[in-house]
Amino acid sequence: SLCRALLSPPDLSWISRAQVNQPAVLRRAEQVQARQAVKKAWQAAWLLKAVTFIDLTTLSGDDTSSNVQRLCYKAKYPIREDLLKALNMHDKGITTAAVCVYPARVCDAVKALKAAGCDIPVASGETRGYGRCHPNPHGIGWEHLQKEIRQFRKASGDARVKTILATGELGSLTNVYKASLVAMMAGSDFIKTSTGKETVNATLPVAIVMLRAIRDFFWKTGTKVGFKPAGGIRTAKDALVWLSLVKEELGDEWLTPELFRIGASSLLSDIERQIYHHVTGRYAAYHDLPMS
Amino acid sequence: MAATRVEPRAREIFSTLEYGPVPESHACALAWLDTHDRLLGHYVNGKWQKPEHRNAASCQDPVTGENLATFLQAQEKDVGAAVQAARTAFESWSQLPGTTRAQYLTRLAKMIQKHLRLLWTLESLFTGRAVREIRDGDIPLAQQLLQYHAIQAHIQEEALADWEPMGVVGLILPPTFSFMDMMWRVCPALAVGCTVVALVPPSSPTPLLLAQLAGELSPFPGILNVLSGPTSLAPALVSWPGVQKVVFCGAVEEGRALRRSLAGKGATLGLALGTESLLLLTDSADVDSAVEGVVDAAWSDRSPGGLRLLIQESVWDEAVRRLQGRMGRLRSGRGLDGAVDMGTRGAAAHDLAQCYVREAQSQGGEVFQAGDIPSNNPFFPPTLISGLPPAAPCFQAEVPWPVVMAFPFRTAKEALALANGTPRGGSASVWSERLGQALELGYRLLAGTVWINAHGLQDPAVPIGGCKESGSSWHGGPDGLYEYLRPLGTPPQPPYFCESLNYDTFGLAVPSTLPAELEIGSSPEPPYGLFVGGRFQAPGARSSRPIQDSSGNLHGYVAEGGAKDIRGAVEAAHQAAPGWAVQSPASRASLLWALAAALERRTPALVSRLERQGAELKAARAEVELSVRRLRKWGAQVQAQGHTPQVAGLKGPVLRLREPLGVLAIVCPNEWPLLAFVSLLAPALAHGNAVVLVPSETCPLLALEVCQDMASLCPAGLVNVVTGDRDHLTRCLALHQDIQALWYFGSAQGSQFVEWASAGNLKPVWVNGGSLRAWDQQTEGAGPELGLRAARTKALWVPMGD
């Protein structure tokens, strides 16, 4: 399927025709946010599922091997064992989807994960084929941008390519849609809202537009492209909203770590707190749950 | 570690990631019902009334069928007591300063704030609607409505100085309504100083609860009285003296029946009928967002009814694919589940939808149904019908909830023809990213509300109403306030009902007239004939009627108009109407001023004719002079049309447009043969209408005199004057289906007939009930009331953002 996407000639008329109505998308985002997706057992199960989508991330200047090691252990054991047992989920092998660190800390992470005896992938986009495309699609045209991304695609060989759109900088939701299409046409396997370190990160309206682009691309080419929001997803409630958004816009088949990731650092501890509450009926103290 | 609760299902859900129930506790609703022993009476004059020996209607949970409560059905004497309470309360409530009423409405909003859960669970429990919509949509809107109208009450003395409250307002609500329908009408009525008697179906406790909350607050407990009972009590409600206005919202046919049964009863009737809306999806639209618009419009509990969906051919496949995909993800279930999109509307709504779908299927429509729907009876799946040709019988019928009827169109022009080709004119939305196209469609759709790239937005400051069979009453915004006001100093209309009036024969035949003696004209005669299509034409009947002067001598002959002449006049008016409607205000003003100048030049002839009709020279001069002034005044006022309300939470303007009605028929009074004619004609023309006029029956010559000038000044067909027997011409006009409004100033019986006959196309009518009007006074002859009635409002929502 990847080859098919690569071989397909760029459909620029599709890009130029694209229309996104911003106020309508904002209203949809409000509706999605206002609805209570799930409660009780459903909430617990959904939250555990959310854990498996997390790219557990630390991208700080002061990262060292010790906190990266802590992070990796947390990735392996994201939820306290007894809580999982109470939910009868201890044998499901629930870990986060990946660990995300700076290139300089990749070795530490791999070592720590090996020591923990698990095969959680370590992600660090910057290690291979890091590149930044021309930041201004208006200046160079969508076609040119697609060519640039395609070159990264070629340079990465068999590796999976994730394109970060920096949606906060794109100016309009129509541009978000177009940029998503361009990235997918150029062969990206994943599209991501933002680095997670920008002033505007993952927002629901942007996500709605990107998810619709992913679905349209799937309908047209048969290729499933993954989606990763990053930045600003901090609470369990947020996570539930994001899961239900993907479920609503793309359907259940996208709710797998191969096609959906959440870039987050503090989300996991809030999810664990909610699970604690679900299992025990009490709100956890800070020291009840292991830190990462 | 604390004791754990084992959860066996989590494992299963982890792999399926299905949605689960989010039940909303409705214990407080049940507890409230229990405080009434599950038996609800009426809330009248600040007290619960549980009269004995009344029919009881038990009400079941629409999903479980469990008995929830029993309602006592009101009888006529209960209605009488409620009206009496409201009348007593009106005496003091209407005299309060606006600021005091404002404080009261604010306190009611705060009171609601304290009982939110009770309100939303009670409403959801009985209606079956999704609690999420009531909690997040209706209740906040109810509070905003109270706040908005509190502000309107506060500034009433300044902003509405020339108006006074009508009196007791009767509010009639159908079984399938939400309590918001009541809030939209009760708030403005109370704000301006009216008091309310609401007749609600014996299946909804929320209005009773609201009345209780309102009653507990107020030193005037009778301002809001709520009775449970059938709609058939409406005539009884009106028959009690003091009820000046009846407001009804519900099905079109019920509205029609009510219009007929209230003819001549003296109360003005405000109708808001039908629930269907319309969505126009063009090829430049954001189709995904438009699909969400369809969900808002038909497949959610935000929407009151079904949807007619017009899709441009080039995006048909794309749109239908997305719609079907979206339908599959809709969840239906018990309203009290916080996670469902669609609740149920009870067995009646289910059967209605079922019946419609079956019929559409048998007539060649393709039916697509999807969604996560419980299989038991009251739930009906979201339904999409396509492929039904416009000629199919059920194409014209109102589309019920939750059905969407989709059909393709080729060009925007065709879309307009299709959209405007139904008898309904409620709300519509246009989805297009091209501003010019969107505005063109928005302006030209015949509807009360048009949203551009949105559907179903509401705000207390924006009027909601309709045209054609959707009724012509308004709620929200300034238009909603005027519904409950009348010009200061005008007395309330006494009833003019005549039991013996035979609707079948009224004005049916024209009494034949024999030629009298020869005419003795002191002044040259105006050309003979009916002024139709810009020229004087011989009447179809080829007969004439003699006109006598005040001393009984023959003044002249005028043409005897009949049904065929009315038909011709209405056709001519329809041809002229579109061109006149799009004229700039400046050119409309200049025509009215030119008419004024022409009238001024004709003063001697007009004065002498008035004198022959018995007027004093001074009075005759004054009448002509005032007529000239009226033309100038309305000409000058043409510019001041519409305004832009401020809406909380919306980026972008909402335009309040004042649009022409179309063809307006006017039956002039006998008195003031020139002044009344001009006073009625001028506002009608100023607001862009084409006019068919019946001049004073006893003295039509003055109007014909003016027609000579109009022949040269006005576009052909803009003004048509048909002389003849007033009752006969009134009958023809009132029964005409293609006249958009009718003003009648004649006899009591004629008024009653006009009201009865207007039920045909539900045209708004304005009748005098046989009483005289002071045309020479500013308020009655040239007040803002005429301007309000001469045009209709349209709210055009234009959200912005990129």
Side-chain angles (χ1 to χ4, degrees), chain A residues 87-193:
Chain A
L87 290 165
N88 193 21
M89 297 289 288
H90 51 287
D91 54 350
K92 282 274 185 183
I94 291 172
T95 65
T96 68
V99 171
C100 228
V101 294
Y102 269 139
R105 301 264 79 88
V106 170
C107 286
D108 297 331
V110 171
K111 217 191 301 174
L113 286 170
K114 199 172 262 175
C118 72
D119 52 356
I120 300 174
V122 178
S124 177
E126 292 87 342
T127 46
R128 273 190 269 165
Y130 170 80
R132 190 179 165 85
C133 282
H134 202 290
N136 179 5
H138 307 287
I140 56 162
W142 296 108
E143 197 175 356
H144 191 93
L145 187 68
Q146 189 186 6
K147 276 186 195 141
E148 279 189 47
I149 303 176
R150 199 165 276 213
Q151 279 160 10
F152 289 122
R153 166 79 267 181
K154 277 190 189 132
S156 338
D158 292 339
R160 289 159 71 80
V161 171
K162 181 172 74 195
T163 307
I164 303 175
L165 299 181
T167 50
E169 313 280 320
L170 282 172
S172 75
L173 290 181
T174 308
N175 278 348
V176 169
Y177 184 87
K178 290 179 177 178
S180 307
L181 279 188
V182 165
M184 289 186 286
M185 284 178 185
S188 307
D189 302 292
F190 247 90
I191 53 176
K192 183 173 170 184
T193 54

Side-chain angles (χ1 to χ4, degrees), chain B residues 108 192 294 351 412 628 668 685 740 766:
Chain B
L108 183 55
V192 299
V294 175
D351 296 345
V628 173
C668 296
L685 288 182
Q740 277 71 46
W766 181 21

Side-chain angles (χ1 to χ4, degrees), chain B residues 146-209:
Chain B
L146 285 165
Q147 292 292 358
Y148 173 83
H149 286 100
I151 291 168
Q152 301 310 309
H154 191 87
I155 58 169
Q156 188 181 1
E157 277 92 358
E158 292 165 48
L160 298 167
D162 301 331
W163 299 84
E164 62 183 348
M166 278 182 150
V168 176
V169 174
L171 177 60
I172 299 162
L173 297 162
T176 52
F177 87 114
S178 85
F179 83 101
M180 285 310 295
D181 290 321
M182 171 169 146
M183 289 303 286
W184 275 108
R185 292 160 178 93
V186 164
C187 292
L190 291 182
V192 299
C194 292
T195 55
V196 179
V197 176
L199 187 62
V200 303
S203 57
S204 48
T206 327
L208 289 163
L209 171 62

Side-chain angles (χ1 to χ4, degrees), chain A residues 20-22 27-28 31 35 42 46 49 82 88-89 91 215-216 219 247-248 278-279 282, chain B residues 1-2 5 9 11 14 17-19 286 288 292 296 321-322 329 331 341 433 453-454 801:
Chain A
V20 177
N21 187 273
Q22 188 244 18
R27 272 196 307 280
R28 171 76 177 138
Q31 285 174 9
R35 71 190 296 164
W42 285 267
W46 278 50
K49 196 75 177 183
D82 57 327
N88 193 21
M89 297 289 288
D91 54 350
R215 185 204 50 202
D216 291 350
W219 279 358
K247 188 178 164 76
E248 290 282 310
H278 174 74
V279 170
R282 297 167 185 230
Chain B
M1 173 172 165
R5 299 178 299 186
R9 291 216 58 194
R11 215 180 149 83
F14 183 78
L17 268 192
E18 60 185 6
Y19 285 119
D286 172 358
D288 279 306
E292 292 304 326
D296 286 342
R321 181 174 191 185
R322 276 157 216 259
R329 291 194 297 275
R331 273 182 292 161
D341 300 304
E433 291 300 312
N453 293 322

Side-chain angles (χ1 to χ4, degrees), chain B residues 560-575:
Chain B
E560 180 77 70
K564 290 231 168 71
D565 303 303
I566 291 291
R567 185 195 66 188
V570 173
E571 269 171 24
H574 269 294
Q575 271 168 15

Side-chain angles (χ1 to χ4, degrees), chain B residues 555-612:
Chain B
H555 192 169
Y557 281 101
V558 295
E560 180 77 70
K564 290 231 168 71
D565 303 303
I566 291 291
R567 185 195 66 188
V570 173
E571 269 171 24
H574 269 294
Q575 271 168 15
W580 181 241
V582 298
Q583 289 280 318
S584 70
S587 59
R588 277 190 224 157
S590 69
L591 177 94
L592 284 168
W593 283 30
L595 261 181
L599 209 66
E600 212 164 17
R601 279 196 299 277
R602 218 173 262 281
T603 307
L606 293 168
V607 168
S608 85
R609 282 207 186 277
L610 283 169
E611 275 187 291
R612 267 198 82 178

